[in-house]
Amino acid sequence: MDEKPVDILVVEDEAGHAELICRAFRSRSERFNLTVARDLRQARRHLAAAVPGLLIVDYRLPDGMGLELLPGQNKPASFPFIIMTGHGDEQVAVEAMKAGAMDYVVKSAERLHEMPHIAERALREWKLRLDKIQAEEALQKANIELERQVARRTAHLENEIKERKRAEEALRLNESRLEALLRLSEMDQATQQELADFALEAAIGLTKSKMGYIAFLNADETILSLLSSSKGARPPLEIGDNPTEEPVEKTGLWEEAVRQRKAVITNDYQAAGPLKLGYPVGQGSLIRHMHVPVIDGQRIVAVAGVGNKDTGYDESDVRQLTLLMQGMWRLIQCKRADDDQKRFEAQLQQIRKLETIATLSGGIAHEFNNALTVVAGQVELLQMNLADHKNVKKFGQATQQSIQRLCSLTNQLLAYAGRGKYRPEILKLNDLLKSAVPILMHDLNPDIRVETDLSSDVSSIKVDVTQWQMIISAILKNASEAIDRTGHIRIRTRAEKIEQAFASRHPGLKPGRYARLTIEDDGKGMDEETRKKIFEPFFSTKFQGRGLGMAAVYGIVKNHDGYIYVDSKPGQGTLIHIFLPLVEKETKEVPPPVRVGT
C-alpha cells in the first residue's frame, strides 16, 4: 500500500521565498502536500482545521513572531516544525531550538531548494523524538507501577527482558542460519560429504553445542548411516562392527527421534533410563543432547543430533536445527538429482556405444564365421584327397587348430553381439555356482582364497549353463590376475527387488525381482577410464590377450535380460554386480561344468 503524503504547512509572508519553497517540493508531490499561509492569522486557521505533518514557519511575520504558533517551552508541540529566518542570528537559533524546532534555516535560494531534504531529515528526527518520548512515558509508567508493586513488577520486567533477549537471540540465530544456507547454496561444486560437514558445523554453532552428527536413514527407516560427525559424536554408531552404520533399534535414545517422528530433547543424560546408551572410553561424557528428524514427505530421510550445550535445549534450538537440516536436505536432493542426471547420461551414452560396437562386431563375426566354414571345408577336402601326403597332414592339423581358435573368438564376438546360440534352462543360481566354482578354482592362483556367501532365498533363474560357466570363468580369471600374490575373491548371491528409483540410475535395468550375483576381489582395482572400457571388444589391460572375455560376459548377460555393472577404484579392488530376473518354476539339476577359455 502506498504511503500517505505528508501535509506541510508553510508560513511565509514573502511571496518569492514561498514560491521557491513550493518549487522545491513540486518534484516531490507524491510525498508531500503543501499549504502556504501568509501570516499568523491564516496559519492559526489552518492549524485549527487540521494538525500538519510538518510546520515550516518564518521567524518574523507581519502580525507577529512565528514561535507564537507553538504551545511554548513547557508544552511540547504536537507536530514537528522548522524555523526560517532571513538573517543568521545565533540568539534566534538558540530560541528556536529551545522551542523544540527540528531545524533552523537561514533563507537563501540554495537552502530553500534543499528544503525537501531538510523536511525529510526533520521528519525522521521527529519520529525518533516521538519514539523516545513514548519510551520515556512507558518507562515513567513502569517506574510508577514499580513503586507501587515492586515485587510483582520486578518479576514482570525480568520476563520482558528475557523475552527481548530471546527475540534478539532468535533474530541473530535466524540471520546466522540464513547465512549458512546461503553459503551452502553457493557450494555448487561441493560433494555431499562437504555439504553435510558444513551444515553440521553451522548446526553446532547455532545451538551453542559442543558436538553433533548427521546420519541418513535407508528407505525403510531401519538403518542409520553416519554422514558427518564432530569429534566425540560417533558413539551411537560405533556399537556394531560397521563404524558408520547401525540398526536404528539398537541406538537407544538416538532412536526416539525416528520412532516418535519428532524432535527429542534430553537435558539430563546422566539420569538413568532404559533407552540410555553407554559412552565409549576416551570420548568424554554426554550431559545433554537433542535430535531432530529430517522429514521428506512421509519419510524420515535423516537424523541430526547435537549435544553438550552449556544450558538446556529448548524449542528455539529445535526450530533452528530443523530449518537448517531441511535446507541442507533440499540442497543435497538437488545435487543428487544433478549427479544422477549426469551419471544417467554417461551410462546411456556408454550403452549406446556398446550397442553400436556389438552391432558392428556381430556383423564382422558373422561374415568371418562364413569364411572360416569355407576354409575349414577346404582343409578337410585336402586332407581327404591327399591323406598320404606327410606335409599336407602336418600343415592341415596346424591349420585346423588355428581355425578352432578363430571359431572360439568368433563365438565370443557373437555372444557379445547377442547372436550366440543359447539353450536356456531353469535352475538355481546357487547350484550353478556350487557346481562351477570348485572346478574353476583349479585354474586360479593357489594363494588366492575364494569365499562364497550364497543366500538361501535366491530362487530360480533361466540361463544357458555353458554360457554362464564361461561368464564365471572369465570373471574369476580376471579377478585372479588383478590380485598380486595373495588375496581374496568373494562370491555373494542375494534375492533383491529392484525399485524404480534404483533402476532409473542404471539405464537398461528394469524394476522387478532379481538374483544378484556379486563377485568381489581385493586386487589392484582400476581407474574410471578403464572401468568405462571394460566391456568393449579387444580392450585389455594385459600385455597379451584378446580382450574378449568381459565383452562376451556383457553380451551374454544382456542376452539373458540381465544387467551388469562394475564398481572399482585404484587400490581398492573390484566388484562386479550381475542382476538376473528370477523365475518361479521347477528347476533342473545343473550338469557338470565345462572349462571354457577366456
Side-chain angles (χ1 to χ4, degrees):
M1 182 178 292
D2 295 338
E3 187 176 358
K4 184 179 179 181
V6 177
D7 294 323
I8 298 179
L9 176 60
V10 179
V11 186
E12 172 60 66
D13 60 315
E14 295 185 26
H17 289 162
E19 177 59 26
L20 286 175
I21 294 173
C22 291
R23 188 180 304 167
F25 278 98
R26 197 163 295 152
S27 61
R28 302 293 303 279
S29 59
E30 78 287 349
R31 170 72 171 133
F32 302 105
N33 287 331
L34 256 67
T35 301
V36 178
R38 300 299 184 184
D39 50 32
L40 290 177
R41 184 178 58 83
Q42 291 182 13
R44 287 191 178 100
R45 189 166 60 249
H46 286 297
L47 290 174
V51 177
L54 175 64
L55 173 65
I56 302 175
V57 59
D58 196 357
Y59 182 72
R60 294 183 186 276
L61 294 166
D63 52 352
M65 306 299 290
L67 293 178
E68 295 178 25
L69 295 174
L70 306 177
Q73 293 185 4
N74 297 327
K75 296 181 180 180
S78 58
F79 49 82
F81 64 94
I82 298 171
I83 297 296
M84 300 184 297
T85 180
H87 304 283
D89 188 327
E90 185 176 344
Q91 183 61 35
V92 173
V94 172
E95 186 178 355
M97 292 300 109
K98 286 183 177 180
M102 305 306 299
D103 209 340
Y104 170 75
V105 178
V106 178
K107 290 187 283 187
S108 67
E110 291 78 13
R111 290 292 285 166
L112 295 180
H113 180 72
E114 295 174 355
M115 192 59 75
H117 300 291
I118 297 172
E120 289 282 10
R121 184 172 64 245
L123 290 171
R124 287 195 299 270
E125 293 178 359
W126 175 254
K127 185 178 184 304
L128 291 175
R129 182 179 295 182
L130 289 180
D131 292 344
K132 182 180 179 181
I133 292 172
Q134 291 174 358
E136 290 174 348
E137 290 175 351
L139 181 59
Q140 186 177 8
K141 291 179 180 179
N143 288 334
I144 294 173
E145 182 67 19
L146 183 63
E147 292 174 357
R148 290 197 316 228
Q149 300 180 8
V150 176
R152 179 181 65 83
R153 189 57 181 165
T154 299
H156 182 67
L157 287 175
E158 288 177 352
N159 289 334
E160 283 189 351
I161 292 173
K162 289 180 181 179
E163 287 298 324
R164 183 175 299 174
K165 288 182 177 180
R166 189 176 294 114
E168 292 173 351
E169 179 66 9
L171 179 61
R172 184 192 66 80
L173 291 175
N174 285 337
E175 291 174 348
S176 298
R177 173 173 50 80
L178 291 174
E179 181 182 357
L181 289 174
L182 177 61
R183 291 183 62 186
L184 272 172
S185 66
E186 293 172 346
M187 297 169 64
D188 51 355
Q189 300 300 319
T191 63
Q192 176 176 283
Q193 181 68 55
E194 291 169 338
L195 290 174
D197 290 343
F198 180 86
L200 177 61
E201 182 180 353
I204 293 173
L206 281 173
T207 57
K208 297 181 179 180
S209 301
K210 302 294 191 303
M211 61 177 65
Y213 84 100
I214 299 173
F216 282 175
L217 269 77
N218 62 346
D220 58 3
E221 301 179 8
T222 58
I223 301 293
L224 275 175
S225 299
L226 185 67
L227 181 63
S228 180
S229 67
S230 62
K231 184 178 180 181
R234 293 174 60 98
L237 301 181
E238 291 185 338
I239 300 172
D241 296 331
N242 191 326
T244 61
E245 291 187 356
E246 187 68 23
V248 171
E249 62 184 10
K250 293 184 179 181
T251 57
L253 276 172
W254 304 79
E255 169 198 4
E256 289 300 286
V258 178
R259 188 178 66 82
Q260 298 184 31
R261 308 187 77 78
K262 66 177 184 179
V264 174
I265 294 176
T266 306
N267 280 325
D268 186 8
Y269 191 79
Q270 301 303 319
L275 298 175
K276 177 181 174 182
L277 293 175
Y279 214 78
V281 177
Q283 294 289 342
S285 60
L286 189 60
I287 301 171
R288 56 184 62 89
H289 68 84
M290 174 183 71
H291 297 94
V292 300
V294 182
I295 301 177
D296 186 359
Q298 300 298 318
R299 188 169 75 87
I300 298 178
V301 295
V303 176
V306 290
N308 285 3
K309 181 182 178 181
D310 290 338
T311 57
Y313 291 102
D314 55 27
E315 291 303 315
S316 174
D317 297 312
V318 171
R319 178 176 178 272
Q320 294 297 337
L321 185 57
T322 299
L323 292 175
L324 178 64
M325 291 299 109
Q326 287 175 343
M328 177 205 71
W329 174 248
R330 286 192 293 269
L331 291 170
I332 286 179
Q333 278 185 306
C334 292
K335 183 166 185 61
R336 282 181 174 179
D338 185 54
D339 291 345
D340 287 346
Q341 181 64 25
K342 291 178 180 178
R343 182 165 51 250
F344 178 83
E345 291 174 355
Q347 291 175 342
L348 189 59
Q349 184 178 6
Q350 181 69 5
I351 289 174
R352 289 171 177 170
K353 176 182 177 182
L354 293 176
E355 289 177 347
T356 301
I357 296 175
T359 301
L360 178 62
S361 300
I364 294 173
H366 182 72
E367 295 298 327
F368 195 52
N369 193 49
N370 291 339
L372 283 177
T373 301
V374 175
V375 173
Q378 295 298 321
V379 171
E380 289 182 4
L381 288 174
L382 283 173
Q383 289 180 319
M384 290 173 57
N385 294 328
L386 301 173
D388 297 332
H389 199 291
K390 180 175 62 174
N391 288 334
V392 169
K393 182 177 181 181
K394 174 183 176 182
F395 295 130
Q397 289 177 344
T399 303
Q400 283 183 323
Q401 291 175 356
S402 296
I403 290 173
Q404 289 175 354
R405 286 195 296 271
L406 290 174
C407 285
S408 176
L409 173 62
T410 303
N411 288 335
Q412 292 187 53
L413 278 173
L414 289 172
Y416 173 70
R419 300 185 185 181
K421 296 180 180 179
Y422 293 89
R423 297 182 179 86
E425 302 175 28
I426 297 176
L427 47 84
K428 297 277 189 180
L429 175 59
N430 290 349
D431 293 343
L432 176 61
L433 293 170
K434 290 175 183 177
S435 174
V437 171
I439 295 179
L440 295 175
M441 285 174 58
H442 293 293
D443 295 330
L444 306 180
N445 183 341
D447 293 329
I448 295 176
R449 182 178 177 182
V450 178
E451 302 171 352
T452 58
D453 177 11
L454 309 181
S455 176
S456 60
D457 62 351
V458 179
S459 58
S460 302
I461 57 175
K462 187 175 183 179
V463 296
D464 182 299
V465 175
T466 302
Q467 295 287 341
W468 274 86
Q469 288 171 353
M470 186 177 80
I471 284 179
I472 298 168
S473 174
I475 295 176
L476 290 180
K477 185 173 182 180
N478 281 345
S480 174
E481 292 174 349
I483 297 174
D484 186 15
R485 299 181 182 176
T486 60
H488 293 78
I489 298 175
R490 302 172 185 86
I491 302 173
R492 294 191 298 272
T493 60
R494 295 289 186 271
E496 293 192 8
K497 182 179 180 181
I498 301 302
E499 304 290 350
Q500 180 61 46
F502 183 83
S504 64
R505 297 195 298 272
H506 296 81
L509 180 62
K510 300 177 181 178
R513 297 183 66 253
Y514 288 84
R516 180 171 183 165
L517 169 63
T518 302
I519 300 179
E520 176 185 5
D521 68 68
D522 52 12
K524 58 187 178 182
M526 66 186 81
D527 57 27
E528 184 64 15
E529 190 64 25
T530 301
R531 190 190 68 82
K532 290 180 179 179
K533 296 181 179 180
I534 191 172
F535 296 128
E536 295 181 8
F538 304 106
F539 174 78
S540 177
T541 59
K542 308 165 191 173
F543 180 74
Q544 292 181 337
R546 295 190 299 264
L548 274 176
M550 293 307 294
V553 167
Y554 175 84
I556 294 171
V557 171
K558 186 178 179 182
N559 232 31
H560 283 79
D561 294 325
Y563 181 79
I564 180 171
Y565 74 94
V566 177
D567 282 333
S568 184
K569 291 183 178 179
Q572 298 184 22
T574 300
L575 288 91
I576 296 179
H577 307 273
I578 299 176
F579 295 83
L580 289 172
L582 291 173
V583 295
E584 304 295 340
K585 293 184 180 180
E586 293 185 1
T587 61
K588 294 185 179 180
E589 184 177 346
V590 180
V594 178
R595 295 192 195 181
V596 184
T598 60

